[in-house]
C-alpha cells in the first residue's frame, strides 16, 4: 500500500516562494507516475504537475508553467514542488498523488490516480 504525506505548506505574500515535499512509502518499484494537484475553495481539483519516477519526464499545467518545478530525489521516495512567483490564485490545498505505470496524456485528471496524500494548505496573500 502506497502512503503519501505532504509537508511544506504555509502562508506567503505574493511574489514569494514555497517548496512542498511529499514523503512516499510502499513503492514496489520506480514505475510510477507522481504528481501534484490542488483544490481551491469552491473549485474542482486540478492537476499542477507530474513526473515519471523512472524517466524524470515532467509535465505542467499552463497556469504554473515556468513558475513551478516538480522533482524527486534519487530514491524515488520524496517528491518536491518548488513554487516561485506565487500569486493569490495559487491559494489552495495541494495534494501529491501516485499511480502505477507511466504518466499518461491525461495526467491532469484526478480520476486517473490511485493514491493520494492528505493535502497541505498554501495561502498566498496580496
Amino acid at each position: 500500500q502506497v502512503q503519501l504525506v505532504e509537508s511544506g505548506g504555509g502562508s506567503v505574500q505574493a511574489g514569494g516562494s514555497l517548496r512542498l515535499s511529499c514523503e512516499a512509502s510502499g513503492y514496489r518499484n520506480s514505475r510510477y507516475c507522481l504528481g501534484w494537484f490542488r483544490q481551491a475553495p469552491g473549485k474542482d481539483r486540478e492537476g499542477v504537475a507530474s513526473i515519471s519516477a523512472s524517466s524524470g519526464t515532467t509535465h505542467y499545467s499552463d497556469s504554473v508553467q515556468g513558475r513551478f518545478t516538480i522533482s524527486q530525489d534519487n530514491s524515488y521516495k520524496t517528491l518536491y514542488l518548488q513554487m516561485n512567483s506565487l500569486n493569490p490564485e495559487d491559494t489552495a490545498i495541494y495534494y501529491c498523488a501516485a499511480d502505477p505505470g507511466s504518466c499518461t496524456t491525461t495526467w491532469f485528471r484526478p480520476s486517473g490516480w490511485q493514491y493520494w496524500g492528505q493535502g497541505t494548505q498554501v495561502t498566498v496573500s496580496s
Side-chain angles (χ1 to χ4, degrees):
Q1 182 73 12
V2 174
Q3 294 185 324
L4 305 169
V5 180
E6 302 97 335
S7 62
S11 298
V12 64
Q13 289 191 327
S17 299
L18 282 174
R19 189 175 83 155
L20 305 183
S21 299
C22 175
E23 299 290 335
S25 60
Y27 285 159
R28 294 186 177 182
N29 52 55
S30 65
R31 298 191 187 99
Y32 278 81
C33 183
L34 307 174
W36 287 98
F37 287 74
R38 66 186 183 186
Q39 188 165 18
K43 294 188 177 181
D44 293 334
R45 191 171 298 189
E46 63 174 355
V48 174
S50 70
I51 184 168
S52 168
S54 57
S55 70
T57 301
T58 59
H59 294 89
Y60 296 92
S61 67
D62 290 344
S63 61
V64 307
Q65 179 76 48
R67 299 188 299 123
F68 290 10
T69 302
I70 188 171
S71 63
Q72 59 182 347
D73 69 355
N74 291 335
S75 68
Y76 314 114
K77 296 300 178 62
T78 306
L79 181 68
Y80 302 101
L81 185 68
Q82 178 66 42
M83 306 185 293
N84 298 329
S85 301
L86 286 162
N87 59 63
E89 290 70 38
D90 295 316
T91 295
I93 299 174
Y94 283 71
Y95 300 89
C96 68
D99 196 63
S102 303
C103 294
T104 69
T105 56
T106 57
W107 64 268
F108 49 87
R109 294 177 181 171
S111 60
W113 295 75
Q114 186 170 356
Y115 302 106
W116 292 88
Q118 83 288 350
T120 186
Q121 177 71 47
V122 172
T123 303
V124 184
S125 58
S126 58

